[in-house]
Amino acid sequence: MTEHPQDEPLAIEGELVDEPAPAAPVTPQFDYTNEGVPNFDYVRDKIENRFATSTASTELSGGVSEAKSVDEQLAERDRAGRDKLEEIRRAMRGE
């Protein structure tokens, strides 16, 4: 019987190990075919994520009528506050 190098115990930092360490698990690439082409689910998920991001950024930027209404209300309240402050300052100066 011929001994093969793989049959011998491994020496790691002065210690003998009976069997080799298991190789790191290979993570399969389910998003692409073996030819490197993305599959339908991967493409669909990318498109849906981009659409969701676009929709959310539009809502946050005020592209929705409710957001515009809130912005208009806030601007009106700021104008009213500035007008009232100016009225108080004129009254204090005696104008």
Side-chain angles (χ1 to χ4, degrees), residues 77-93:
R77 190 172 75 188
D78 288 345
R79 274 193 300 275
R82 284 193 302 272
D83 292 346
K84 184 67 174 177
L85 182 60
E86 185 60 34
E87 181 184 325
I88 293 170
R89 286 179 178 158
R90 277 185 286 194
M92 292 181 70
R93 287 185 288 217

Side-chain angles (χ1 to χ4, degrees), residues 50-88:
R50 287 181 182 175
F51 179 75
T53 301
S54 172
T55 302
S57 65
T58 301
E59 289 177 4
L60 291 174
S61 69
V64 178
S65 62
E66 294 109 13
K68 288 181 182 178
S69 174
V70 170
D71 288 340
E72 291 170 359
Q73 290 174 2
L74 183 59
E76 179 61 33
R77 190 172 75 188
D78 288 345
R79 274 193 300 275
R82 284 193 302 272
D83 292 346
K84 184 67 174 177
L85 182 60
E86 185 60 34
E87 181 184 325
I88 293 170

